[in-house]
């Protein structure tokens, strides 16, 4: 299971490889890119350059006969995957200032894919504060028949293409609608509109539910909500307050995202802002190796616009206190007991970001609940089962069908 010796690059490479089951990657393309990166020497620069070049190539005309709609459609979907791979590490590359441009390339590929779907998803902007949420509403057909609907919630660094891999085809094949969206701290809202995460995710989901229930092709009593990666915290938070959610899936369950950071990082935070930032800037930053600094830039940017803008200039943020407290505020330990919807909590063998937290969530739930750990014996180990998204979707949608009924 080793594509790269570095665990962070390896995990992302496995995610790309896993997307092939949903048409969101090609095994040969990914492995060829892996070989090229390893041959050049694994760095953020070699990773970004290789995957960005692959995205650019797929958005150009293919060899041979002119591409038909289906070819252009899936080339665009794979390009969105590869641009997303490059985007993840661009802050550590030679050109961190190209982050927004690289995001827009991936978004353009995603939108090209969507425009070529049959039927194409309904695209809209759902009101949210002063910055509307872009949504893509996928339907099995245009009959207008009311159908159960799943709202697919991304994590702190995923792209729209990941929501395709982790839910859209599985939903459509079972006669469900699927809603994909960018929330604060994600996609367009982060990279373009500069809106960071909010701990009150119900204020994000409630307008989405309002928009869905106003549609005649949505069965309003059968709206499910899933949350992938850190959204295993966000989606449960929303379901604790938005009572129209009929079923909830946390993938994995997460109650304190702050615990996903190493102890040596967490201990920097003190009750005093000046003291915290002095420790960060005078004691920690001077000792940080460049690769560790790049990780911090990436992990903190969804929680701080200044941190994101500094990272685009090749700098490490100076205010640790403010984004760290926002991450701490994402804790949902005090609201899990409010959830009324039936809930499936997923866990993963070898979970590297939130170990033990899925069980904590399951134990705190008072609603009807199920817990399931995906394992290495199934090829479904590690955070979000990067090598087994098809199995992942089978588990989730079997449970949703059983829970909400025909």
């Amino acid at each position: 299971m080793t594509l790269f010796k570095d665990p962070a690059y390896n995990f992302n490479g496995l995610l790309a490889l896993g997307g092939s089951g949903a048409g969101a990657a090609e095994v040969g393309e990914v492995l060829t890119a892996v070989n090229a990166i390893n041959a050049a020497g694994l760095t953020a620069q070699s990773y970004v350059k290789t995957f960005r070049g692959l995205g650019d190539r797929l958005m150009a005309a293919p060899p041979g006969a002119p591409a038909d709609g289906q070819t252009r459609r899936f080339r665009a979907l794979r390009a969105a995957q590869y641009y997303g791979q490059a985007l993840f590490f661009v802050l550590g590359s030679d050109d961190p200032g190209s982050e927004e441009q690289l995001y827009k390339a991936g978004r353009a590929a995603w939108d090209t894919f969507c425009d070529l779907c049959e039927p194409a998803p309904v695209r809209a902007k759902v009101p949210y504060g002063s910055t509307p949420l872009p949504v893509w509403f996928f339907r099995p057909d245009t009959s207008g028949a009311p159908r159960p609907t799943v709202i697919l919630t991304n994590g702190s660094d995923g792209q729209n293409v990941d929501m395709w891999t982790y839910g859209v085809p599985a939903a459509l094949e079972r006669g469900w609608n699927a809603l994909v969206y960018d929330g604060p701290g994600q996609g367009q809202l982060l990279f373009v509109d500069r809106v960071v995460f909010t701990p009150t995710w119900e204020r994000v989901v409630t307008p989405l539910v309002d928009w869905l229930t106003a549609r005649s092709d949505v069965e309003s009593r059968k709206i499910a909500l899933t949350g992938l990666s850190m959204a295993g915290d966000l989606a449960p938070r929303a379901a604790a307050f938005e009572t129209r959610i009929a079923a909830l899936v946390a993938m994995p369950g997460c109650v304190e995202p702050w615990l996903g950071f190493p102890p040596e990082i967490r201990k920097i935070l003190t009750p005093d802002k000046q003291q915290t930032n002095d420790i960060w800037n005078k004691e920690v930053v001077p000792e940080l190796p460049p690769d560790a600094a790049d990780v911090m830039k990436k992990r903190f940017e969804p929680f701080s616009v200044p941190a994101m803008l500094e990272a685009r200039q090749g700098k490490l943020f100076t205010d640790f206190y403010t984004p760290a407290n926002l991450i701490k505020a994402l804790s949902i330990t005090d609201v899990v007991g409010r959830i009324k919807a039936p809930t499936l909590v997923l866990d993963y063998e070898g979970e590297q970001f939130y170990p033990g937290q899925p069980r904590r969530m399951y134990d705190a739930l008072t609603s009807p609940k199920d817990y399931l750990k995906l394992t290495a014996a199934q090829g479904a180990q590690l955070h979000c089962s990067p090598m087994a998204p098809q199995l992942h979707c089978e588990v989730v949608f079997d449970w949703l069908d059983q829970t909400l009924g025909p």
Side-chain angles (χ1 to χ4, degrees):
M1 307 302 181
T2 302
L3 303 177
F4 302 107
K5 291 182 179 179
D6 182 285
Y9 288 95
N10 194 63
F11 178 69
N12 275 271
L14 292 176
L15 279 169
L17 200 60
S20 60
E26 177 78 286
V27 172
E29 290 170 347
V30 174
L31 294 182
T32 299
V34 167
N35 286 343
I37 293 165
N38 283 325
L42 175 62
T43 63
Q45 179 63 18
S46 64
Y47 197 97
V48 171
K49 180 180 179 181
T50 301
F51 274 108
R52 183 172 194 165
L54 184 50
D56 289 344
R57 189 160 70 247
L58 287 170
M59 291 302 289
D68 62 17
Q70 187 74 344
T71 294
R72 288 187 290 118
R73 176 186 175 216
F74 276 101
R75 282 173 70 89
L77 181 64
R78 302 201 309 275
Q81 170 76 254
Y82 303 143
Y83 285 132
Q85 288 290 318
L87 179 66
F88 191 88
F89 293 104
V90 71
L91 294 180
S93 74
D94 296 347
D95 189 14
S98 66
E99 182 181 51
E100 183 176 340
Q101 179 189 46
L102 187 51
Y103 163 73
K104 288 179 175 178
R107 169 65 180 273
W110 166 255
D111 284 337
T112 297
F113 165 75
C114 289
D115 289 343
L116 292 167
C117 286
E118 184 57 47
V122 175
R123 291 165 62 177
K125 294 181 178 180
V126 172
Y128 173 75
S130 60
T131 310
L133 309 174
V135 303
W136 296 262
F137 180 65
F138 291 86
R139 305 150 295 163
D141 56 46
T142 57
S143 67
R147 298 178 182 275
T149 301
V150 60
I151 302 172
L152 302 167
T153 306
N154 226 329
S156 66
D157 46 39
Q159 301 303 315
N160 303 130
V161 64
D162 300 311
M163 294 296 89
W164 175 268
T165 300
Y166 281 89
V168 177
L172 299 178
E173 289 161 5
R174 290 163 174 81
W176 285 58
N177 302 316
L179 186 75
V180 175
Y181 69 100
D182 287 340
Q186 302 170 327
Q188 178 183 310
L189 268 74
L190 174 65
F191 295 114
V192 180
D193 300 328
R194 301 180 182 179
V195 180
V196 299
F197 273 116
T198 174
T200 53
W201 205 257
E202 66 277 12
R203 297 180 183 176
V204 179
V205 168
T206 289
L208 299 176
V209 176
D210 290 342
W211 187 84
L212 287 171
T213 56
R215 296 186 61 89
S216 61
D217 53 1
V218 172
E219 198 168 350
S220 60
R221 294 183 181 180
K222 292 185 178 182
I223 297 176
L225 177 65
T226 69
L228 185 71
S229 192
M230 199 189 79
D233 169 275
L234 304 175
R237 164 74 197 203
F241 295 92
E242 176 46 74
T243 58
R244 291 173 292 178
I245 297 300
L248 169 69
V249 186
M251 315 180 307
C254 172
V255 292
E256 293 187 81
W258 182 234
L259 296 182
F261 288 79
E264 59 267 28
I265 295 298
R266 300 200 307 270
K267 72 180 182 181
I268 297 168
L269 183 62
T270 75
D272 182 81
K273 181 175 182 177
Q274 187 63 52
Q275 181 185 13
T276 296
N277 288 338
D278 282 346
I279 294 171
W280 170 249
N281 290 302
K282 297 177 181 179
E283 300 178 23
V284 179
V285 171
E287 302 298 324
L288 274 182
D291 57 344
D294 293 340
V295 170
M296 294 302 291
K297 292 173 188 175
K298 179 61 181 175
R299 295 202 68 183
F300 270 69
E301 73 168 349
F303 306 97
S304 167
V305 170
M308 180 176 71
L309 297 181
E310 287 173 291
R312 290 177 177 180
Q313 298 171 19
K315 302 174 184 177
L316 189 57
F317 55 90
T318 55
D319 180 9
F320 179 95
Y321 179 88
T322 303
N325 272 292
L326 175 54
I327 301 167
K328 281 196 72 176
L330 293 172
S331 171
I332 58 170
T333 54
D334 59 341
V335 301
V336 171
R338 294 177 56 115
I339 297 171
K340 303 301 182 187
T343 301
L344 171 62
V345 179
L346 290 187
D347 199 352
Y348 310 98
E349 186 176 343
E351 166 63 44
Q352 65 267 48
F353 297 110
Y354 308 123
Q357 294 205 42
R359 178 58 70 173
R360 284 182 60 194
M361 175 179 287
Y362 177 78
D363 290 343
L365 285 165
T366 58
S367 61
K369 58 186 180 180
D370 290 288
Y371 169 92
L372 181 66
K373 177 177 279 191
L374 299 177
T375 69
Q378 301 165 307
Q381 70 269 39
L382 302 179
H383 182 68
C384 300
S385 299
M387 296 169 285
Q390 183 169 307
L391 170 63
H392 197 276
C393 287
E394 290 166 358
V395 167
V396 169
F397 281 92
D398 283 349
W399 183 86
L400 286 174
D401 278 337
Q402 182 182 37
T403 301
L404 296 184

